Amino acid sequence: MSDSARIVIIGGGVGGASVAYHLTQLGERDVVLLERDELTSGSTFHSAGLVGQLRADPTLTRMNQYSVELYRTLDAGWTECGGIKLASTPERMEEIRRQIGWARTFGLPLEEISVAEAVELFPLMDPEGVVGAAYLPTDGQIDPSQLCYALAARAREGGAVIRTRTRVLGVKTVDGRVTGVRTDQGDIDCEIVVNCGGMFAAEIGRMAGVRVPIVPMSHQYVVTDAFHDHPALPTLRDPDLLVYYRQEVRGLVMGGYERTCAPWTAGEGSFDAVPADFNGRLLPEDWPRFEEISTYSRIRVPAMADVGIRKMINGPEAFTPDNEFILGETEVAGFFVAAGFCAHGIAGAGGIGKVMAEWIVEGEPGMDLSHMDIRRFGRQYRSPSYTVKRAVENYETYYDIRYPGHERSAGRPLRVSPAYSWHQAHGAVFGEKSGWERVNHYAAHEEGEDERPRGWAGRSWSPAIGAEHRATRTAAGLFDESSFAKIEVTGPDAAALLEWVCDNRVARDVGAVTYTQALNSRGGIECDFTVTRRAEDEFLVVTGTAFGTHDLGWLRKQAARTGSTARIADVTGQYACFALWGPRARDVLSGLTPDPLDFPFMSARELTVGDVPVLALRVTFVGEHGWELYCSSEYGLALWRTLWAAGEPRGLVAGGYKAIESLRLEKGYRVWGADIGPETTPYEAGLGFCVKPDKDFLGRDALDPEPERRLRCLTLADPRAVALGNEPVRVDGRVVSRVTSGGYGYTARASIAYAYLAAEVAPGAEVEIEVEGAWVPGTVVKGPVVP
C-alpha cells in the first residue's frame, strides 16, 4: 500500500464512494478510500433505498435533486417510480399543501392528487381515512449496494484507489492539523482526511480529538413474500401512521419510525461505540418493538395482515441530534466529516459527495450548508448522554408535523440565564435554542388583542407577543439576550485579522461598535455580527445564539490561513446581556447610573447601573432607542432586578424573542440563516452600506455593487395571511422566488415578508405569495415598514 496520498477517505459506504467519485470529477487523482471490511458493509447494505427529493430545507432539496440526476446516469438499479405522500389527518393535508408550494420554487413537479388517484397509482392501499395526497413523479428507489459499487467504479475510473479490509487505527495530527492515518496495513501520510464512517464516525472522530455527535439507532423494516402482480408501484409514505412502503419485485418493503425507539451501541454507557467486529451484520429481530409499525401498516395496506414475511432487516443507522447531516471541516485543519445521514443518506448521497468535494477542493462549500456544518454543534454535544436524548427525541418524532415555533423538550433545561429564576416566577413561556432556555413571551401578557394569523402561523401565536411588541414601541421593553454568542478577539494581531475578515471597517476608535459581515471568497455572507473595540488589542464580537460555534470556527480558520496570532475565545457564558429598548429607555436607565448617557449610536461605554459594573452598547435590533447592557454573569440577576424595579413604574414590560422577531421584521433587520447567508452578498441583501471597498478584505473582489437580484420587503393584502418562509413568490404569474422570512408586524398591522427579486422589480410592484395553498396579493414596499 502506498505510504502517502493527498486525500484519504475513511468509509466505504455510499457517502465515502460518492465523495471519492466527485473528488475525481474535480481533478483530484491522489485519493485513497479505506474500508475496514468490504464496500457497503456498514449501514449502506441494509438501507431501504427510498429516494425522496423534497425537504423543508432548500439546500437539501437541491442536493437530493442532484442525486436523482446522477442516479439516472448510473447502472445501479434506479427506478423512477414516483412517490406518494398521504395525509390521514386534515393537519397533514395542510402540511402537504405547504410542501407543494415549496416544490414550485425548485421546479419539482409535486402535485396534489385525489384519494382516488392515489389508489389508482397504488392499488394495494385502503383509502379509508385518507384525506388527500401528493405525488412527485421524479422520486424513486435504488439498490443501495449497487449504488455504492457504481460510485466506487466511477471513482476508480477517475484515478482513486480503494482499499478494502484495511482498518484505520488512528489519525495523526501535528499542531492542530491532519498529517496522516495509521492502519493495520501501514501508515499513510496525507493532507486531508474525510471521515465517512457512518455509524463508526464518532469513533473515527475521537482518533483526531474531534467530537462527532451521532447515535446509531436500530431501524427495522420487513421484506414480504410475493403477493401482487402490479409491475410498477410508486413509493408510498403515510407519516400519520408512521409507515413507508416500496416495491420489491412482487412484494413490498415496509418500515417506519416507531414511538419507542432503541439506540444501539457496544454496551451500556458507551452511547456511540460500535463493536469492532460489526461488519456486514444486522441486529437481532425485535418483533415486539416493530408491532406498532406492523399494526399501522395493516390499516393502510390490508394485505399486510396475511402476507408472508421473507425477512426482517434490523440495522443500525447513524442519527444526529437535529436530523441534519454532519458535513464539513472540523476544528482540526484538514479533517472533514460527512456522516450522520439519519436514514436518508441514499437520497442525499449524490449531493453529499458533490458538496463535500467542492468544500475540500475549493476550501468552501458551493451551497449554504450552515445548518449541516459540524460547527453548528455547541459544547453541550460533547456530552454523549445529551446527544442520545436529542437523537432519541428526533427519531421518535421523525414523521411528526414540524409546526412553526416547534420546541424540543429533550435535555431541558440545560443552559440558563442568570435571570432564569425571575423569568420562571413571572410566567415566562420558554423556548430553546442551542441548549439555552430563552423567553418566547410571558403568559401574564396574554390578555391582548386577538390578531391571530390564520393557519400555521397562528399555531404558536399568543396575544402576549403583540402586547410586548407595542410596549417596546410606545414605552420600553426589557429583553434577556444572555444567550447571544460572545467571542473575544485579542492580541497584537487582532485588529489586522478582523480588518481582513470583515467587510466593514472595525479597527476604529476604542468604544466604536461596528455592524459588519464576514464574507467567503465568493462574496457570500458567512457571518453577520457586531464588533466592539474595547481596547487597542481587544475586540468583542457578538453574534446570534445559534451561530456562535460556526462564527468562532470561521474566525479561527481565517486566523490559521493568515498566520494570525490573535487569541480567539468563546466567552458567551461569562457575560449576561439585557436589552433595554424603547422611547422611555433613557428615563429608566438615567436614574440608575451617575454616568452620562450622551454617547452616540453604535458606540460603547463602561457604566455602573445600580451596584453593577456594565458595558453599555448603543445598538438595537428592534429599531428603538436603547442599549444592550453586558455584565459579568454573577451580577446578572442583580442587574435584571435593578432594571425592572426602576422601569416597571415607567411602563417597562419584560418581553421575549417572539416580540423581537416581529419588531425586527418591521424595521427590516436581516437574520443570518434566513434572509442572508453564504449564498447571498451584502449588495443583494441591502447591506452595501457595510462594505468598505477601499480596504482589503476576504471576498471583496467577488462583489458586484449592482447585483441582478435584491432582497425586497413585501406586504400582503390580507394581514391575517402570514408567510413564514419558503412560500413561493409570483411576479406576473410566474414563480420567481421564495420567502426568506415573514411574520406579522403589530405596529404596522401588516403581514410582512422578505424575498429576493430581480433588481428591476422595484417598490410598488405587485406580487403574489402562496400562503396555505392560496395566492395572496402583495406589494413590494420600500422598507422598513415602520420607519
Side-chain angles (χ1 to χ4, degrees), residues 511 585-587 589-591 593-607 616-619 625-627 629:
R586 181 179 291 272
D587 296 338
L589 192 59
S590 61
T593 179
D595 301 295
L597 299 177
D598 57 353
F599 54 104
F601 184 57
M602 299 305 287
S603 64
R605 183 175 292 177
E606 300 280 353
L607 308 174
L617 272 60
R618 266 281 281 120
V619 296
H625 176 83
W627 299 265
L629 304 172

Side-chain angles (χ1 to χ4, degrees), residues 635-760:
Y635 295 110
L637 182 56
L639 177 59
W640 181 274
R641 285 174 170 167
T642 298
L643 293 166
W644 179 251
E648 188 179 20
R650 293 173 170 84
L652 179 70
V653 169
Y657 276 86
K658 298 289 187 180
I660 292 177
E661 172 65 10
S662 175
L663 289 158
R664 76 94 191 166
L665 279 167
E666 290 186 335
K667 287 292 184 176
Y669 295 138
R670 280 52 169 147
V671 170
W672 193 83
D675 303 310
I676 56 177
E679 294 186 66
T680 57
T681 72
Y683 289 112
E684 291 175 327
L687 300 174
F689 63 90
C690 292
V691 179
K692 299 297 181 285
D694 59 336
K695 77 180 186 90
D696 194 18
F697 59 87
L698 178 60
R700 183 189 67 173
D701 295 341
L703 293 178
D704 180 358
E706 298 295 333
E708 295 181 355
R709 63 172 188 164
R710 294 186 184 274
L711 185 64
R712 297 298 193 188
C713 181
L714 319 174
T715 56
L716 282 67
D718 181 354
R720 297 297 178 91
V722 173
L724 298 165
N726 286 337
E727 292 88 352
V729 178
R730 200 161 65 178
V731 176
D732 295 330
R734 185 171 62 91
V735 173
V736 296
S737 187
R738 63 179 182 85
V739 171
T740 59
S741 67
Y744 183 73
Y746 291 88
T747 302
R749 294 184 180 270
S751 176
I752 303 167
Y754 290 86
Y756 284 91
L757 300 174
E760 59 268 22

Side-chain angles (χ1 to χ4, degrees), residues 74-246:
L74 299 174
D75 183 14
W78 168 248
T79 303
E80 199 158 313
C81 55
I84 299 173
K85 183 175 182 179
L86 299 178
S88 296
T89 62
E91 293 79 11
R92 184 71 65 177
M93 199 63 224
E94 290 178 5
E95 178 193 48
I96 285 177
R97 286 179 177 140
R98 283 179 59 83
Q99 291 172 338
I100 291 171
W102 301 342
R104 293 189 220 280
T105 69
F106 302 109
L108 282 172
L110 181 67
E111 59 179 333
E112 183 175 341
I113 59 174
S114 67
V115 176
E117 289 172 314
V119 172
E120 184 178 353
L121 288 165
F122 199 99
L124 301 174
M125 67 171 275
D126 182 348
E128 181 68 27
V130 178
V131 176
Y135 176 60
L136 184 54
T138 55
D139 277 354
Q141 62 189 64
I142 198 167
D143 183 290
S145 293
Q146 287 188 50
L147 172 61
C148 183
Y149 278 102
L151 290 167
R154 287 202 175 182
R156 286 192 181 100
E157 291 171 2
V161 174
I162 297 177
R163 302 291 186 189
T164 58
R165 298 195 175 276
T166 303
R167 186 180 295 267
V168 173
L169 305 176
V171 176
K172 298 188 291 183
T173 63
V174 174
D175 295 330
R177 180 165 197 91
V178 160
T179 60
V181 296
R182 293 188 299 107
T183 83
D184 59 0
Q185 304 296 317
D187 292 0
I188 306 176
D189 294 333
C190 63
E191 300 173 26
I192 293 168
V193 172
V194 190
N195 176 1
C196 297
M199 61 180 150
F200 304 96
E203 293 182 68
I204 295 168
R206 282 191 285 271
M207 295 177 184
V210 169
R211 172 67 177 151
V212 182
I214 64 164
V215 178
M217 303 291 291
S218 165
H219 182 69
Q220 300 186 112
Y221 63 86
V222 296
V223 182
T224 74
D225 291 335
F227 72 98
H228 66 82
D229 295 317
H230 302 289
L233 293 173
T235 62
L236 180 72
R237 294 175 177 85
D238 190 335
D240 292 310
L241 295 181
L242 310 179
V243 294
Y244 62 78
Y245 310 82
R246 74 161 174 84

Side-chain angles (χ1 to χ4, degrees), residues 366-485:
M367 293 183 176
D368 179 4
L369 298 175
S370 54
H371 52 295
M372 304 180 198
D373 194 326
I374 189 170
R375 293 173 295 174
R376 72 188 184 273
F377 292 109
R379 287 179 293 175
Q380 66 271 24
Y381 287 104
R382 296 179 186 175
S383 163
S385 63
Y386 184 78
T387 303
V388 167
K389 291 171 186 174
R390 287 279 158 146
V392 165
E393 181 184 35
N394 176 57
Y395 185 99
E396 293 180 346
T397 60
Y398 189 87
Y399 272 149
D400 282 7
I401 299 172
R402 302 295 181 190
Y403 289 112
H406 168 77
E407 298 287 354
R408 301 183 65 187
S409 59
R412 295 177 59 184
L414 182 63
R415 306 172 77 182
V416 298
S417 157
Y420 179 69
S421 61
W422 189 97
H423 302 319
Q424 282 185 306
H426 288 77
V429 177
F430 289 100
E432 179 266 341
K433 181 166 282 190
S434 292
W436 282 94
E437 295 295 313
R438 311 196 314 170
V439 178
N440 279 342
H441 62 268
Y442 292 88
H445 302 150
E446 289 182 344
E447 296 299 324
E449 294 185 55
D450 185 5
E451 298 174 85
R452 183 186 299 274
R454 287 196 301 272
W456 276 37
R459 286 186 169 269
S460 61
W461 181 86
S462 165
I465 302 169
E468 293 164 12
H469 173 121
R470 291 194 177 98
T472 304
R473 288 274 188 254
T474 59
L478 184 61
F479 301 90
D480 189 340
E481 296 182 334
S482 297
S483 67
F484 275 15

